[in-house]
Amino acid sequence: MDRVIAAKVFIDVAQSRSFTATAERLGMSRPMVTRYMEAMEDWLKTRLLHRTTRKISLTTAGESCLKDVELWLEQADKITSLANIGKELSGLVRVTTSMSFGFSQLMPAIQAFMDEHSQVRIDIDLEDSAADLTEKSIDLALRIASNPDPSLIGKPIALCESVLVASPDYLQQSQASVGGINHPQDLTQHNCLGYKNFEQHIWHLSKNEQFESITVDCRLTINEANALLHGTLNGIGISMQPTYLANRYIKDGRLIHVLPEWKPKALSIYALYSSRKHLSPTVRALIDHLESYFAAHHW
C-alpha cells in the first residue's frame, strides 16, 4: 500500500479520532481507512491507536510517532513538488467561502483556473460562518475580514469595498415620514438592515478626514449577504453591501447609493490555510491565480 497515503490517513485519524470522519474527509471507504492504519502499524511494528466501540485514541507510541510521521510527510510533499515542476497540476482542492462571494466572484475565477488545468478537481463549501479547516479537511478558505483568524496562515489577495444602498421605493416612502438622508446621523431615523457577521449595529463611515460611527436600529438582521441584498431590493430598508453585489443594481437603478461621499471601511479578502505543511503545488497555484484574477477583474 502507498505509504504516503497511509501517513496522511494516520495523521487525519489522529486529528479526527474517527475512522468514519477520516473516510469522509479523505474520500475513501471506512474499510480502506482501517487497512491503511493496519499497514502503518505493520510498517512501524507498533500499535498506534487504542480502539474501542466508542472511542479512538493514540497510544503512547502513536503520540511519539505522530510528529515524526508529519515531518516525514512534509519532506515527501516537498520531494513530490520538486519532481512535479513543469508537470500538469492535478488533484482535488477543497475551498470554502461565503455564499455571496462564491456565487458572484469565485465561480468565474474558478472556471478560468479549471479551463487552464484540466486535471484539477475542486470541491467548494459555501457558508457565511467560519468553517473549521482541519475538521472539514479544507485546503483553502477565502474570507472577507479586517483581522483574519490568527491561527490561520495566508495573505490578502484583493480588497472588498462596501456601500450603503436602498431601493427607490424605500427612499420615496421614508422621505415623507422621516425625511431625507444628508448626513450619517440621519441613518438613526431610518430602517436599517443588519448583517450578522459584520458591523451589525454600528456603521463606521469616513469622508476625507471626517469619521462617524453610527448606531443603527436594525429591525431585520440576516446572516447571509444575498438575503440581505434582496431584503434591500424589496424596500425593507437601508443596508451596507459589498460593491461586488451592489454595483450592478446601482447601475440599473434598482438600488440607490446612499450617502455616496461617505465610505464604509474597506476589508481585505484573504486566502487562508491551516498550515504551511503539505500545501500542494495545486493549492499554491490556485492562490496565485485568484490574486491575479481579482486584480484584473476589479468589481
Side-chain angles (χ1 to χ4, degrees):
M1 301 185 76
D2 189 313
R3 295 195 179 193
V4 172
I5 296 177
K8 291 180 179 179
V9 168
F10 170 48
I11 292 169
D12 197 279
V13 170
Q15 294 173 341
S16 70
R17 304 300 171 98
S18 166
F19 280 23
T20 300
T22 290
E24 291 175 352
R25 282 155 51 161
L26 298 184
M28 62 178 66
S29 67
R30 192 181 185 285
M32 187 59 71
V33 170
T34 301
R35 287 179 61 192
Y36 275 117
M37 281 307 310
E38 290 172 348
M40 278 293 294
E41 292 179 329
D42 287 343
W43 291 329
L44 297 175
K45 300 188 185 309
T46 188
R47 189 171 183 81
L48 300 173
L49 301 174
H50 292 301
R51 304 177 183 86
T52 68
T53 55
R54 295 183 178 181
K55 186 178 179 181
I56 292 175
S57 60
L58 289 171
T59 63
T60 302
E63 291 178 353
S64 298
C65 289
L66 181 59
K67 289 185 178 180
D68 290 333
V69 173
E70 288 177 335
L71 288 173
W72 177 82
L73 185 58
E74 182 179 3
Q75 291 300 317
D77 285 345
K78 287 181 180 178
I79 293 170
T80 301
S81 296
L82 290 173
N84 287 333
I85 290 175
K87 292 185 178 180
E88 187 172 2
L89 297 176
S90 63
L92 173 65
V93 180
R94 291 187 172 92
V95 181
T96 185
T97 192
S98 68
M99 293 185 185
S100 63
F101 190 77
F103 289 144
S104 64
Q105 300 303 317
L106 184 58
M107 287 303 100
I110 288 291
Q111 179 187 2
F113 185 78
M114 296 183 76
D115 286 346
E116 186 177 350
H117 304 289
S118 61
Q119 299 303 309
V120 173
R121 294 180 297 125
I122 296 179
D123 179 270
I124 298 177
D125 188 83
L126 296 180
E127 55 183 331
D128 278 38
S129 58
D132 186 314
L133 305 195
T134 300
E135 181 181 346
K136 291 197 170 185
S137 197
I138 297 293
D139 298 298
L140 180 64
L142 301 174
R143 291 182 180 161
I144 300 172
S146 54
N147 295 298
D149 187 338
S151 68
L152 299 176
I153 300 164
K155 64 176 183 177
I157 59 172
L159 193 66
C160 178
E161 296 180 335
S162 297
V163 289
L164 299 181
V165 290
S167 71
D169 286 345
Y170 172 81
L171 293 175
Q172 183 178 3
Q173 293 171 8
S174 63
Q175 175 74 34
S177 56
V178 296
I181 308 171
N182 302 304
H183 186 273
Q185 288 295 336
D186 296 333
L187 294 168
T188 62
Q189 304 302 313
H190 284 261
N191 292 337
C192 294
L193 313 184
Y195 180 48
K196 284 187 177 182
N197 299 323
F198 176 69
E199 296 196 359
Q200 180 176 337
H201 298 297
I202 300 177
W203 289 353
H204 301 283
L205 307 173
S206 65
K207 174 186 175 183
N208 299 322
E209 298 301 316
Q210 301 178 62
F211 298 90
E212 294 279 349
S213 295
I214 307 301
T215 301
V216 290
D217 179 20
C218 297
R219 291 183 57 209
L220 177 65
T221 57
I222 304 175
N223 69 342
E224 199 281 309
N226 281 305
L228 188 71
L229 173 68
H230 283 275
T232 312
L233 288 167
N234 280 292
I236 301 176
I238 302 166
S239 69
M240 184 183 297
Q241 293 288 335
T243 55
Y244 67 75
L245 285 183
N247 277 351
R248 59 177 291 196
Y249 296 100
I250 294 173
K251 185 176 292 188
D252 69 16
R254 295 176 64 187
L255 289 177
I256 303 297
H257 189 174
V258 175
L259 295 173
E261 295 182 351
W262 289 86
K263 295 183 178 182
K265 65 181 180 182
L267 300 176
S268 291
I269 301 171
Y270 287 87
L272 301 168
Y273 41 94
S274 58
S275 173
R276 287 189 176 90
K277 298 178 180 179
H278 324 313
L279 191 64
S280 73
T282 304
V283 175
R284 292 184 189 276
L286 178 57
I287 293 171
D288 291 342
H289 166 81
L290 293 175
E291 184 172 19
S292 298
Y293 184 91
F294 294 140
H297 298 78
H298 186 70
W299 42 83

